[in-house]
Each structure stands twice: as structure tokens, then as C-alpha cells.
Amino acid sequence: MKKRIACMALAALMATTMFAGCGKDSNSSSGSSAITAADGDIKKPDKIKVMYNGTVFTKENGQDQFKKRWEELTGIKLEITQPDHDAYYDVLGQTMASGPDNWPDVVLLDPTYYAGYAKEGALWDMTDAWENSELKASGRINNEDLIENLYIDGKLYGFTTGRGNGCVTYVKQKWLDNCNLEVPTTYDEYINMLKAFTEGDPDGNGVDGDTYGLSTAGLIGEEIPYVNYLPEFYQDAYPSFYQKEDGTWVDGFTEDSMKEAIERLRDAYQAGYIDRESLTNGTNDCRTKFYEDKFGVFTYWAGTWATNLKTNLLANNRDDKLVAIPPIKEVGKYLERRPSVFAITAACKNPEGVFKYFIENMLDGGDMQVLWTYGVEGTHWSTKAETVCGNTYEEGQFHMLESMEKPGTQYTKNNIDPMLAIGDFKEKDPGADQIAPEAKESQEMFNDNSKLAPNFFSTDEMGQYNGDLTTLKNTIIANVVTQGSSIDEEYKRFKDEGGAEWSKKIVDSLNKLNK
């Protein structure tokens, strides 16, 4: 559904002649995006309209306080549209399809939408604004390569404040101990662990077989890198399009490695090692089951989520010791998600001003960066002497406050993760010392054992066929894994129902980009 709405939106964009190209000059309110802060000619906006998801504080978590503080720091009115997190791209697609008059100035986009909207001319070209910015010249950017990876055909249409992060596999230490197991380093050891967690008594309640190895939110992800919740099964397989070392494009779903991955998933699922509800689970469903000790292996986000999992296990009177394991031999490297970006739409009347006062300002190295990283003092963090959620702090000690949405737990961050930020503070990060050891350890392990997921490029053929193609692929995976269907028969259906033809059309269109 999400991809179909995106296609509808892009089709509407193609019919909008005033945005027929990606050129920056036709969409700039001043006629030139080369104006920089140094020129002193950038007009400060009176109001900026933004649309983003729940990765920025929601109403329940103090959005009003966040907005008030942002407006205090800038003197600009901020108009926020924030759909429910899970419905964000549906609402965004509908908004973009409704026409430029309804577009916000700034939108938050994952890599797929970023490439698609950029191709159709919906985004402002911020190349010159970034290249001539005070932020780039400041020397505080610690990962310019990540920004370089956001360029499309030599132009930059979106900006990220941090790495995309990714998932690591967490294992309950108590369950390993109860089953006399060590941390797995190979696939055979991993499967043996799942078998023990499913057939034995890993939770120590005296009953064999009332638990299972793992649970996951879907058998295949909806967004790049698709396989991040089940890396041990997919290993070197990739279900979508990627570029080989020689520069040619292929559809990983058509390769033997993908068939082998589906077989591994089928065998584990049919053996009962994988939660039977995994096909329809949401991430919240998985987390709840994990906290209730229904399963012992959970591949989830590195960093702050290590603390969140630990805290919620403890709140449910469960043992909170987790091991974030390095990738097993057959996986080699975890996949790092390409980051979401803040992009300025082509309908924005003052894009240079929005870039300077909204996007560039997010990494100012001072008060604004604190706001985007930790939130508002007195609402999300404090330096007062007090006890929060059982933790006691001295006067002057930076700490996060109790969550308004989830009482009994403390906030960990706002939109910018301090362990992933690409912009350094001018002085010491005020919250560096309060980052939990388990969060820091899991993040460092991931950063040292990960590689960037395949890039996404949009073509007309991609927009035309990939929605239906992805639906067909997902159906085939579900049929083989949950129903035990024959892989050969399902791949024959892939050909008979047009999947192979659609795939080839997309591959051919991508390979033309190299010429």
C-alpha cells in the first residue's frame, strides 16, 4: 500500500508541469541557491511548515514544549504536521499527490522516497547551499562520506544529521546459561541455540517447550535494507535491486542465494523455532513478547534500544542481561540502514532561508543541537539534584527525565541519536556521560561490524512495476515459509505472473543509468 501511494504521488508530480525538472533555479524564490550565510542576503522565514514522523517528539512526549523552545531559539513560527508513525508515508503520499499548494516546506524521507521524489522534481536542490554553508566550513562534520552518499546525479536533495544505524541480534544471557550454551558464532550454532530455546527450558520455569527461539516483525522488511530483522537467515541474500562490484545491477530475489535464504527460514519456521505470528507481527508485538519471556533472541536496533530493552525487561520482572552478539560467520557484516533525510520541497518559497534556519541549524553545535538531540530542559532532561525512575543524580549532572508516554522509563534521545550524529558539539556533548554502557557497547559493536545497505535509485520502470513486484515477492516468501510451499513452484509463479518480466525491465532501466 505504501509503495502504491508513492507511485500515485509521483504520477501526480509528473503531471505538474511547474515542477517538471530537478533544477534548483526554477524552484528558488531568489533565482539562485548559491546565496550563503556569508553573503548576508538570505531572508529569514517568518514561518516554516514541516512534516515528520514520530522520530521527533510527539504530542504525548512534549511536542509543544519542543516547538516552543525551537521558536525561542530562532524567532520563527514552526508549523508541525506529524501523522501517526505507522501511517506517516501514507499521509505524506496523499499530501504530495494533492498538489504543490498543500506541500510543507520540509519533509522527512526514507531513502526510497528520497530517490523517488528527487527524480520527479519534488525536492529543492540544496547542493550549493550545503557546499557553501557555514556548517560544512566549520570542521565539525565528522562523516562527510555519509552526505556524499546522498548525492543523486551529482546533486544533493536531502540532508541527514546522523548515521542510519541498524539492527544487532540480542540474546538473553540467562537463557544461554540455562541451556549451557555459548554465544553462537556460526549458523549451525545459531540454529542449535534456537532449537534449545524452543524445545528446552531456557526460562527456567520447569516446563520444556513453552517458549520459542525468536520473533520478528514480518518475514521481510518494508524498507531498505529489508533483511535487517533476520540477518542470520538471509546472510548474503538481498531481496531487491543492488549494484554488483562491476557496476551492473541485478535483482537479488532472482539469485540462488535468495532461494537458499527462504529455505533456511522455512525450515526454522516449520520446526517451531520462529514465532508463528511473525508474518503479521508489528515491532511492538515483538517487544511485548520479548518482555514477557516468550522468546529469547531478538534482532533489533543497536544503541539506545539496548537500554530500552533492558529497562522494560526489568520493569516486567525479567532478567535484564542481554548480549548483543557480533554477526555470525555467514553474515559477516550487519547491514546499516541508509539514513532518513530532511528535504526541502520544490514548493518552498524561501528554500535558502529554510536550509539555513531549519536544516543547517540542527547541527549548530550548541543549544539547537541539544534540542534536537535531547529535547527541552525541564521536560526531557535536567541537571537538578533528583531521583528519576530509581536513579539518583547530583546537582549539575546531566540526565534524562521520566517519559510522559511510558512512565517508569527515562527518555534516551530526541531525533538525533548522540551516538550516530555526524556533527560534533562545539564543546563537549552535555549528555555524553549519561549514555548507558549497554547502549554504547551495542552501538560500537554495530559500527565496527556493519556495512552500508545497497543504495536505491529511482527510474520510471521502478515506479511503474516495483510496487506489484514487491507484493509478489513478499507473497512468495510467505507461502514458502509459513505454508511450506515448494520453492520451485513459487518461483515458477514468479515468472508466470509477470514478476520475472517486471524485474528485468527494472534491471535494464537501472543499467542504463551507467551508460
Side-chain angles (χ1 to χ4, degrees):
M1 176 64 71
K2 184 174 66 174
K3 292 179 176 63
R4 287 191 180 120
I5 289 177
C7 291
M8 290 168 55
L10 294 180
L13 289 170
M14 292 176 71
T16 308
T17 56
M18 66 178 293
F19 298 112
C22 293
K24 56 184 176 294
D25 294 338
S26 63
N27 300 323
S28 169
S29 60
S30 66
S32 171
S33 64
I35 298 175
T36 69
D39 298 323
D41 294 331
I42 295 178
K43 180 182 178 182
K44 184 175 181 178
D46 296 320
K47 179 174 70 174
I48 298 176
K49 297 185 293 183
V50 300
M51 179 183 285
Y52 47 59
N53 59 24
T55 57
V56 187
F57 285 130
T58 60
K59 282 283 189 181
E60 295 82 2
N61 280 315
Q63 182 195 99
D64 290 342
Q65 292 91 327
F66 168 81
K67 176 183 175 182
K68 179 181 178 182
R69 178 59 175 157
W70 190 93
E71 292 177 344
E72 288 175 353
L73 291 172
T74 62
I76 301 170
K77 181 176 177 57
L78 186 65
E79 183 177 306
I80 300 172
T81 300
Q82 189 177 42
D84 289 342
H85 190 77
D86 291 341
Y88 176 71
Y89 284 105
D90 290 350
V91 176
L92 173 64
Q94 293 162 3
T95 300
M96 299 299 283
S98 69
D101 289 344
N102 299 315
W103 294 358
D105 297 312
V106 179
V107 292
L108 183 64
L109 301 171
D110 75 14
T112 304
Y113 287 93
Y114 170 56
Y117 285 133
K119 181 184 185 306
E120 299 304 333
L123 307 180
W124 179 67
D125 175 7
M126 61 176 67
T127 309
D128 291 340
W130 158 245
E131 293 293 345
N132 296 294
S133 68
E134 292 179 342
L135 177 59
K136 181 177 174 63
S138 70
R140 291 187 294 101
I141 298 298
N142 57 47
N143 194 341
E144 284 203 30
D145 288 344
L146 195 59
I147 299 176
E148 289 296 322
N149 272 300
L150 296 175
Y151 277 69
I152 299 174
D153 294 333
K155 297 180 180 180
L156 184 68
Y157 298 98
F159 191 82
T160 183
T161 57
R163 297 179 59 156
N165 202 9
C167 294
V168 299
T169 297
Y170 295 98
V171 180
K172 291 176 177 175
Q173 181 65 61
K174 180 181 178 182
W175 286 34
L176 286 172
D177 295 341
N178 287 344
C179 295
N180 297 314
L181 294 172
E182 300 292 332
V183 168
T185 60
T186 66
Y187 183 69
D188 286 343
E189 293 174 358
Y190 177 80
I191 285 295
N192 182 58
M193 175 183 67
L194 296 187
K195 176 180 172 67
F197 285 4
T198 302
E199 299 175 356
D201 182 25
D203 58 353
N205 69 350
V207 180
D208 289 345
D210 65 341
T211 55
Y212 45 90
L214 68 88
S215 185
T216 180
L219 300 174
I220 191 79
E222 294 183 354
E223 299 173 355
I224 296 171
Y226 307 112
V227 299
N228 50 328
Y229 288 147
L230 290 164
E232 290 81 11
F233 294 98
Y234 283 104
Q235 297 180 14
D236 60 341
Y238 192 71
S240 190
F241 303 92
Y242 73 95
Q243 202 167 16
K244 300 173 73 172
E245 290 186 2
D246 64 3
T248 59
W249 285 86
V250 295
D251 183 354
F253 190 83
T254 65
E255 297 183 311
D256 289 341
S257 59
M258 189 65 194
K259 296 179 181 179
E260 293 166 1
I262 299 174
E263 284 182 337
R264 286 189 290 268
L265 274 169
R266 178 195 62 193
D267 293 346
Y269 184 92
Q270 296 297 327
Y273 304 159
I274 300 175
D275 178 12
R276 295 290 185 182
E277 298 176 341
S278 289
L279 184 62
T280 57
N281 276 339
T283 54
N284 188 57
D285 298 318
C286 295
R287 294 194 299 266
T288 298
K289 294 175 182 179
F290 194 63
Y291 304 149
E292 294 173 348
D293 251 7
K294 291 184 178 180
F295 67 98
V297 181
F298 190 22
T299 301
Y300 210 54
W301 299 101
T304 54
W305 267 107
T307 299
N308 293 340
L309 296 176
K310 176 184 176 71
T311 300
N312 283 284
L313 283 168
L314 196 60
N316 282 267
N317 298 313
R318 310 294 181 183
D319 189 272
D320 65 346
K321 294 182 178 63
L322 297 174
V323 184
I325 69 172
I328 60 173
K329 178 181 178 181
E330 292 82 356
V331 172
K333 297 280 189 180
Y334 289 123
L335 286 180
E336 179 169 4
R337 178 180 61 178
R338 288 181 177 267
S340 296
V341 300
F342 284 95
I344 299 172
T345 68
C348 179
K349 292 180 172 56
N350 179 13
E352 295 89 355
V354 171
F355 180 87
K356 175 177 174 59
Y357 289 98
F358 186 85
I359 290 181
E360 183 179 1
N361 208 18
M362 296 172 78
L363 294 176
D364 72 343
D367 290 342
M368 184 62 81
Q369 190 165 339
V370 170
L371 177 64
W372 281 99
T373 305
Y374 298 110
V376 181
E377 183 175 11
T379 300
H380 305 110
W381 60 272
S382 176
T383 58
K384 294 180 179 179
E386 59 186 334
T387 298
V388 181
C389 298
N391 298 310
T392 301
Y393 302 96
E394 300 176 353
E395 184 68 30
Q397 184 179 4
F398 187 102
H399 56 274
M400 304 304 290
L401 295 175
E402 184 174 11
S403 169
M404 292 180 280
E405 185 179 23
K406 297 180 180 179
T409 64
Q410 290 174 259
Y411 290 112
T412 54
K413 65 179 181 65
N414 188 9
N415 177 261
I416 300 176
D417 189 321
M419 293 177 287
L420 300 172
I422 66 167
D424 297 329
F425 281 91
K426 293 178 179 177
E427 299 178 359
K428 179 183 176 181
D429 177 353
D433 293 339
Q434 58 88 43
I435 297 174
E438 66 276 357
K440 186 177 297 185
E441 289 171 8
S442 73
Q443 191 65 68
E444 290 176 350
M445 189 276 288
F446 175 82
N447 291 349
D448 292 340
N449 293 278
S450 61
K451 61 182 179 180
L452 204 57
N455 207 349
F456 178 89
F457 290 94
S458 179
T459 64
D460 292 340
E461 289 80 2
M462 181 76 75
Q464 183 175 356
Y465 300 114
N466 199 43
D468 290 333
L469 178 62
T470 299
T471 298
L472 180 58
K473 289 177 179 179
N474 293 352
T475 301
I476 288 172
I477 293 172
N479 287 347
V480 174
V481 175
T482 65
Q483 305 300 320
S485 300
S486 164
I487 289 180
D488 289 339
E489 289 181 5
E490 288 295 324
Y491 267 80
K492 181 179 182 300
R493 186 164 73 88
F494 180 73
K495 179 179 180 181
D496 293 343
E497 295 186 11
E501 182 181 357
W502 298 334
S503 173
K504 185 178 186 306
K505 287 181 182 292
I506 294 173
V507 168
D508 289 345
S509 71
L510 289 167
N511 281 322
K512 287 180 182 177
L513 296 177
N514 299 335
K515 298 179 181 180

